[in-house]
Amino acid sequence: MKGTIQRVVKASVEVDGQVISTIGRGICVLVGIHKNDTEKDKEYLTRKLLSIRLWEDEKGRRWSRSVTDMQYEILCVSQFTLYYYLKGNKPDFHAAMPGAQSQEFYYSFLDMLRRQYDPSKIKDGQFGAMMQVHIQNDGPVTLDLESPTLRQLLNDQEKKPEDGKKGTVSSPDSEVA
């Protein structure tokens, strides 16, 4: 799983000209789901989103307070395009989890966030819709997170390459065991 986190003063999601979600201070997270993601990936991203320290404390020390410490909101937006590969100049999204499976995975991720934090502070867009995401960055602060499960699998595959080719992966979309 990937999460592109932006610290925001405010953010909202609009679908067909209607605002469907809005938050004040907090984080807006673009969420990508890889076809090989598991429960462990959800747990990792949930834990990190709730604990990553992006704000200063009352003494002015930067990077000291999390979204939960500050009681801020989280706006999640599903975005399969985070798992792309370029084939020439055209993006290929085969590494992203397929639609129906991804939708179920995404909603269970949101449920996990809501169980571990104040459910009223977790908002989201509309899965599968064309959305306009309005973000007023704070800082700006933007960070990319990726769950280690997939990274470790890809690293392991590179260390034990097929066909005796040292340090290569057969293709960016190859199956990971």
Side-chain angles (χ1 to χ4, degrees):
M1 275 184 94
K2 283 185 184 181
T4 297
I5 303 166
Q6 294 186 312
R7 189 175 73 182
V8 298
V9 173
K10 63 182 175 181
S12 63
V13 175
E14 189 177 306
V15 176
D16 296 329
Q18 301 284 71
V19 175
I20 62 165
S21 287
T22 189
I23 65 168
R25 286 197 172 273
I27 56 177
C28 180
V29 185
L30 306 177
V31 179
I33 303 170
H34 190 275
K35 64 185 177 182
N36 295 328
D37 280 340
T38 67
E39 194 71 17
K40 284 185 180 260
D41 298 291
K42 268 191 277 192
E43 291 166 0
Y44 174 85
L45 197 60
T46 297
R47 185 176 65 255
K48 288 297 186 182
L49 290 178
L50 297 176
S51 63
I52 193 166
R53 296 180 297 180
L54 301 175
W55 289 272
E56 63 183 44
D57 65 14
E58 58 282 344
K59 294 180 182 177
R61 288 183 299 220
R62 291 183 178 194
W63 317 111
S64 297
R65 307 288 307 261
S66 70
V67 70
T68 56
D69 294 335
M70 303 300 286
Q71 290 297 297
Y72 287 161
E73 296 176 291
I74 300 173
L75 174 61
C76 293
V77 179
S78 62
Q79 190 162 351
F80 75 92
T81 61
L82 291 178
Y83 278 108
Y84 74 94
Y85 296 101
L86 284 180
K87 287 188 173 180
N89 291 322
K90 183 179 178 184
D92 179 317
F93 305 109
H94 283 91
M97 189 177 283
Q101 182 184 1
S102 180
Q103 184 174 15
E104 182 180 324
F105 194 92
Y106 175 71
Y107 285 132
S108 69
F109 163 70
L110 291 175
D111 288 341
M112 185 178 286
L113 273 174
R114 288 181 177 118
R115 283 192 312 271
Q116 295 184 31
Y117 188 45
D118 179 348
S120 70
K121 295 189 183 298
I122 307 296
K123 309 286 172 65
D124 71 303
Q126 182 178 330
F127 188 92
M130 289 296 292
M131 297 175 270
Q132 288 72 51
V133 181
H134 304 274
I135 300 170
Q136 186 174 350
N137 282 338
D138 182 19
V141 172
T142 303
L143 302 172
D144 286 322
L145 281 179
E146 186 167 18
S147 56
T149 307
L150 180 62
R151 270 197 325 264
Q152 186 60 48
L153 288 170
L154 290 173
N155 286 340
D156 289 348
Q157 185 176 359
E158 287 181 0
K159 289 176 187 172
K160 297 177 184 177
E162 297 173 27
D163 302 317
K165 296 179 184 174
K166 186 174 183 177
T168 61
V169 176
S170 57
S171 77
D173 198 32
S174 62
E175 288 293 320
V176 178

